[in-house]
Structures are given as C-alpha cells and as structure tokens.
C-alpha cells in the first residue's frame, strides 16, 4: 500500500474521516461557530476575525492564549519569567544561556496553559497548537475555553463564596496563629514570673522557718531567764526578810543589853560571864552581819544581773514583736501567694486551653505542611523531569555540536583539498600555457627555418 502514494493518502483520509465522524457526536454540542468565537475574542479586547481563525497566525494565536491565561489564571509570560529563570539557573547552572529566554518563557507559559486547558476539558493540547495552529484545533480549543468562561461566569457567586470562605479561613488561621504567638509569649512570661514567685516564696518560707526556729529558741531562752528571775526575786525577798529579822534581833539585843547593863555592873563575875556571853553573841552577830553583808552584795549583784537580764528580756520581747510583725507580713505574703497560685491555676487552665487550640492549629499546620511537601515533591519531580529533559537536550545539543564540528572540519578539509586542486589546476594550466607558448615559438621558429630552407632550395634550383 505504501508503494502507491495515492492509495495510502486515500486510506489515511478515509481513516481521518471515520475518526472525525466518531468524534463529532462528543464535540458537536461543545463547538461554537467561527463568528461566535471571533466575537467572544473581540469582547476580551483582542482584535480578531473569522479570517484569523481560518488562516491562523502563531503570534496572534499566542497573544489570544495569553489574554485567556491572564483572564483565568492571572498569568502571562512576564509573570512566569522569574520562576522559569530561577528554574533554568537551578537546572542548568552556569549553562543557563543554552535555552533562549523567549523559548524558556514560552515553555513555562505552555505548561500553565496546558493545566488550564486540562481543567477546561482539552486533554490533547500540544505545543504544535501554539507554533502550528490549525482551524479545526483552534475551534475546538477556543470553544472549550469560552464554554468554561461562560460556566465560570454563571457560577460566580459560588466561586466567590468559596473564595471568601478560603480567605476567611486564611485570615482566621493567621489571627489564631498570631493569638497563639501572643499566648505563647504570655505563657512564657507567666512561667518566668511563676519561677520568680516560686523562688521568692521559697526564700520567704525558708526565712519564715528560720525566724520560727529563732523565735522558739528565744522563747526557750526567755522562759529560762524568767525562771532565773523568779528564783532571784524569791531569793532576794527571802534574804531581805532574813536581813530585816536579823536587824530587828540586833536592835532588840542592844536594847536588852542596855537594860541589863545596870544589873551586870553589880557583880564582876556575873559581868565577866555576861561579857563573855555578849562577846560570843557579838562575834556571832558580827559573823552573821558579815554573812548578811555578803549576801546583800550578792543580792545586789543578782539585782544588777536581773536588771541586765530584764533589759535583754525587754529587747527579746521587742524583737519578738518585730518577729510577730514579720510573721504577719509573711502570712499576708502567703495569702498573696495563695491568691497568685489560684490565679496561676486559672491561667494554667487558660494555658491548657491555649495548648489545646495550639494542638489543633499544629494539626492543621501539619496538614498544610504535608500538602506543601507534596506540592514541593511534585515540583521537585517536575524539576527533575525538566532537568532530565534538559540533560537529554544538552546531550543532543552536544552531539549536534560534535556533528557540526565534524562536518565543519570535513568541509574545511574538503575546502583545503579543493584549494589545493584548484592551485594544482592553475599550475597545470600555467605549465600547459607555457608549453603551448614554447611549442608555438618552436613552431614559428621551425616554420621560419622551413620557409628559409625552401627559399634557399628555390634559389639554389
């Protein structure tokens, strides 16, 4: 069948006709007329006629596609250019100039446009539809895009509702994230203040325990000093009463001795006896008086000691009053600490609520991170595919460059050979011309010799 081109073309045309007949029922209700397509394209701001659709110009068709992409995706070659330049720098590195910027931007625009057309229902969109568009393909593609735009305009309220919900959700996420940050900051501040308060409470408790121990010690010392003071007072009272008794006894004895002096003078023996008794009683009284003086001095010393102890006891009672004031302050601080502890427990409940909200937000953030990671992996896979494709293109370019260099070197060798051949031919031509010239000269010489010889022969005859 391939040996007869007419038959093969006829077979292809019949097959295409059958395929078109099979496709017509699925595309017939989606296809628009040429005038309707041209009118819709004119409505978006591009001057377009049915003749432009029948005889498409790639530049004009790309411009129309750019208008559709800007209308639906808000994407143009200029918006795609930074991402494509970054991708080229990432993939090609220092060889990013291999691919021209126009070609690179067109490839990126084609990728975005292909996604749009897949959503519109055109799954067989190819690069030829941008570079070599045909009437049938443009009618199908433009019809699907215009129908998608009409459907989108009919569902504007629904789309706006979903978009507003997404924006509201995004704003809510941002606000919750900001609240979370503020609550985390407040929580950290509460924790720091709690640590400070706990340190202060510990110091206060420690100081309170030290003061209580000191107070108990001072109370014990006070009780001991009070007992000593009571004992000293009792001893002082007893000694004072004894001194008074002894003094009264000595006075009464003196009075009696004065009364008995007259009777003693009457008899020397009796006087001598009474004198001895009186001396003995006097010496005993002196001893007792000395003893009483010593006890009085001891009592005075004890009294001084008791006055000093009393001063110490008064100082201790004053210190105890100060300690009681400090204890009252400590109790007030304890009440404040209890109130702060209650407030802290309440704040802890709020913190737990914040942590629960944070946990929910963390879960949402994890989901979004997973989505972003999937998108990143997809982009990395696409970048890897583009890199592989770029490597293949670089290999093809290298191979073509090598073939081009080989052909250039072969052409150079051939040119050198041709120049050498031309030089040899020029040399041969010059040699032939010289030989012809020398042969002609020889011929002329021979001709002149022959003519001279004939003339001489004729003259000799």
């Amino acid at each position: 069948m391939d040996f007869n081109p007419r038959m093969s073309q006829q077979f292809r045309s019949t097959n295409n006709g059958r395929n078109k007949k099979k496709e017509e029922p699925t595309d017939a209700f989606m296809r628009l007329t040429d005038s309707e397509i041209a009118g819709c394209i004119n409505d978006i701001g591009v001057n377009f006629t049915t003749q432009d659709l029948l005889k498409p110009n790639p530049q004009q068709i790309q411009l129309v596609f750019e208008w559709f992409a800007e209308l639906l995706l808000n994407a143009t070659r200029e918006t795609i250019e930074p991402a494509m330049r970054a991708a080229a720098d990432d993939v090609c590195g220092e060889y990013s100039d291999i691919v021209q910027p126009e070609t690179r931007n067109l490839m990126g625009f084609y990728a975005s446009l292909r996604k749009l057309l897949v959503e519109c229902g055109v799954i067989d969109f190819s690069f030829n539809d941008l570079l070599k568009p045909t009437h049938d393909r443009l009618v199908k593609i433009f019809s699907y895009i215009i129908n998608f735009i009409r459907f989108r305009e009919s569902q504007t309220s629904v789309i706006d509702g979903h978009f507003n919900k997404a924006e509201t959700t995004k704003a809510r996420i941002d606000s919750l994230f900001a609240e979370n940050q503020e609550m985390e900051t407040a929580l950290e501040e509460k924790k720091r203040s709690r640590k400070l308060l706990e340190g202060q409470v510990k110091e206060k408790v420690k100081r309170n325990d030290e003061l209580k121990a000191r107070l108990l010690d001072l109370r014990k010392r006070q009780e001991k000093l009070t007992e000593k003071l009571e004992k000293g007072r009792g001893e002082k009272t007893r000694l004072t009463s004894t001194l008074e008794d002894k003094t009264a006894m000595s006075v009464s004895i003196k009075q009696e001795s004065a009364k008995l002096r007259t009777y003693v003078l009457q008899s020397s023996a009796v006087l001598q006896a009474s004198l001895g008794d009186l001396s003995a009683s006097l010496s005993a009284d002196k001893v007792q008086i000395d003893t009483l003086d010593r006890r009085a001095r001891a009592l005075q010393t004890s009294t001084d000691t008791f006055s000093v102890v009393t001063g110490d006891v008064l100082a201790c009672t004053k210190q105890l009053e100060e300690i009681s004031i400090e204890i009252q302050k400590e109790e007030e601080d304890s009440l404040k600490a209890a109130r702060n502890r209650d407030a802290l427990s309440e704040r802890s409940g709020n913190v737990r609520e914040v942590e629960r909200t944070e946990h929910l937000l963390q879960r949402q953030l994890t989901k979004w991170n997973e989505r972003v990671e999937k998108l990143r992996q997809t982009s990395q896979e696409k970048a890897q595919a583009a890199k592989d494709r770029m490597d293949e293109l670089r290999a093809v370019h290298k191979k073509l460059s090598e073939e081009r260099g080989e052909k250039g070197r072969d052409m150079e060798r051939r040119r050198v050979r041709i120049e050498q051949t031309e030089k040899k031919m020029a040399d041969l031509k010059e040699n032939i011309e010289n030989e012809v010239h020398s042969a002609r000269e020889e011929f002329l010489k021979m001709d002149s010799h022959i003519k001279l010889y004939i003339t001489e022969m004729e003259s000799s005859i």
Side-chain angles (χ1 to χ4, degrees), residues 35 47 67 97 128 131 135 145 178 181 240 257 305 314 326 330 363:
S35 59
N47 190 10
W67 274 91
D97 296 334
N128 287 329
L131 297 180
H135 174 262
I145 294 175
Q181 294 294 329
T240 303
S257 64
T305 304
L314 291 175
E326 289 291 331
E330 290 294 330
R363 289 175 60 187

Side-chain angles (χ1 to χ4, degrees), residues 428-439:
L428 289 172
K429 184 177 179 182
E430 186 177 358
N431 291 330
I432 291 170
E433 287 179 354
N434 291 330
E435 288 180 359
V436 169
H437 185 66
S438 61

Side-chain angles (χ1 to χ4, degrees), residues 247-289:
T247 304
M249 189 181 291
S250 64
V251 170
S252 62
I253 289 170
K254 285 179 180 181
Q255 290 176 358
E256 288 178 358
S257 64
K259 288 179 180 181
L260 294 174
R261 185 175 296 170
T262 57
Y263 297 104
V264 172
L265 294 173
Q266 293 177 4
S267 176
S268 61
V270 174
L271 185 62
Q272 188 69 32
S274 62
L275 183 61
D277 293 332
L278 288 172
S279 297
S281 62
L282 182 61
S283 61
D285 289 336
K286 285 181 179 180
V287 171
Q288 191 174 5
I289 287 168

Side-chain angles (χ1 to χ4, degrees), residues 115 370-386:
K115 291 180 181 178
E370 289 177 355
R371 292 182 183 177
V372 170
E373 187 64 28
K374 288 181 181 179
L375 292 175
R376 189 180 290 111
Q377 290 178 359
T378 305
S379 63
Q380 288 178 357
E381 290 175 357
K382 290 183 179 179
Q384 186 64 32

Side-chain angles (χ1 to χ4, degrees), residues 13-31:
S13 62
T14 55
N15 286 335
N16 291 330
R18 290 174 186 173
N19 292 330
K20 288 179 181 178
K21 288 180 181 179
K22 290 180 181 179
E23 292 176 0
E24 281 177 0
T26 59
D27 293 337
F29 72 97
M30 293 290 291
R31 288 179 179 268

Side-chain angles (χ1 to χ4, degrees), residues 20-206:
K20 288 179 181 178
K21 288 180 181 179
K22 290 180 181 179
E23 292 176 0
E24 281 177 0
T26 59
D27 293 337
F29 72 97
M30 293 290 291
R31 288 179 179 268
L32 303 176
T33 61
D34 294 350
S35 59
E36 191 173 2
I37 292 172
C40 292
I41 294 173
N42 284 321
D43 290 338
I44 66 173
V46 180
N47 190 10
F48 198 80
T49 61
T50 55
Q51 291 297 322
D52 296 329
L53 191 61
L54 292 172
K55 295 180 180 180
N57 183 9
Q59 303 297 329
Q60 190 177 15
I61 297 302
Q62 291 176 16
L63 179 62
V64 174
F65 278 126
E66 285 187 10
W67 274 91
F68 279 126
E70 185 176 4
L71 179 63
L72 297 174
L73 299 176
N74 197 17
T76 60
R77 293 190 190 183
E78 287 76 13
T79 58
I80 295 171
E81 196 271 335
M84 294 302 296
R85 183 174 63 251
D89 294 336
D90 189 17
V91 174
C92 300
E94 59 183 1
Y95 302 103
S96 59
D97 296 334
I98 294 175
V99 182
Q100 295 297 324
E102 293 80 6
T103 306
R104 184 176 63 206
N105 296 337
L106 183 60
M107 290 172 66
F109 177 70
Y110 165 73
S112 301
L113 190 61
R114 182 177 175 79
K115 291 180 181 178
L116 171 62
L117 291 174
V118 168
E119 296 296 330
C120 293
V122 181
I123 59 175
D124 57 348
F125 183 72
S126 64
F127 209 73
N128 287 329
D129 294 327
L130 290 176
L131 297 180
K132 295 179 181 180
T134 60
H135 174 262
D136 186 57
R137 292 287 299 168
L138 289 178
V139 169
K140 178 183 176 181
I141 294 169
F142 287 157
S143 298
Y144 274 72
I145 294 175
I146 292 169
N147 287 324
F148 179 76
I149 293 172
R150 289 175 177 176
F151 173 76
R152 184 169 177 256
E153 290 177 353
S154 65
Q155 301 294 325
T156 303
S157 60
V158 179
I159 294 171
D160 291 339
H162 288 293
F163 182 76
N164 292 330
K165 285 182 181 179
E167 290 295 327
T168 305
T169 305
K170 185 178 179 181
R172 179 61 177 165
I173 290 171
D174 293 336
S175 64
L176 288 175
F177 187 75
E179 281 184 27
N180 188 16
Q181 294 294 329
E182 291 177 359
M183 288 183 177
E184 283 182 355
T185 305
L187 179 61
E188 293 296 329
E189 188 66 28
K190 298 285 184 186
K191 287 181 179 179
R192 286 195 294 271
S193 62
R194 181 180 179 181
K195 289 181 180 179
L196 292 174
L197 288 174
E198 286 179 354
Q200 292 178 0
V201 168
K202 287 180 180 179
E203 290 179 359
K204 296 287 185 182
V205 171
K206 185 177 179 181

